[in-house]
Amino acid sequence: QVQLVESGGGLVQAGGSLRLSCAASGRYSIGWFRQAPGKEREFVGIIGWSGGSTDYADSVKGRFIISRDNAKNMVYLQMNSLKPEDTAVYYCAARGIRGTYNSPSGYNYWGQGTQVTVSS
């Protein structure tokens, strides 16, 4: 059973930075998603098992960086130049074998989420 636990959320001013952590057991590609109130869960980015490949949503490309430390079973989401529209609950998820990588349907296991609030 895969276990995923996010941490590191909080309140930050626009233009600031925040780093989220995801404790992730197992050998999976890990995706980050976010969900704002009243909106659908949206893809943020993904990192492959080895950490050698990443991809990002256009909305965060150039501002967010995903990395991982497999020795510690940790995946990180470094968020820079934060904007109020980045406010959401952020989730990490383990990639399944079906579905597309940028859709929630492509993931079998999810963490509980961590709230990120960016004030203007």
Side-chain angles (χ1 to χ4, degrees), residues 6-95:
E6 302 94 338
S7 61
L11 174 65
V12 63
Q13 288 189 333
S17 297
L18 206 58
R19 190 178 80 157
L20 305 184
S21 299
C22 172
S25 63
R27 295 171 62 92
Y28 293 89
S29 295
I30 297 295
W32 284 95
F33 286 76
R34 65 187 182 186
Q35 189 166 20
K39 294 188 177 182
E40 293 186 352
R41 193 166 296 189
E42 67 171 352
F43 173 76
V44 172
I46 185 173
I47 187 166
W49 157 247
S50 68
S53 63
T54 56
D55 195 17
Y56 300 92
D58 288 343
S59 59
V60 306
K61 200 169 292 183
R63 299 189 298 123
F64 290 11
I65 300 170
I66 301 174
S67 61
R68 68 190 303 163
D69 183 344
N70 286 339
K72 297 181 179 179
N73 290 332
M74 296 296 294
V75 178
Y76 305 101
L77 177 63
Q78 177 67 43
M79 304 185 294
N80 303 317
S81 303
L82 282 162
K83 306 174 182 179
E85 51 262 45
D86 294 319
T87 295
V89 177
Y90 283 72
Y91 300 88
C92 62
R95 178 90 167 99

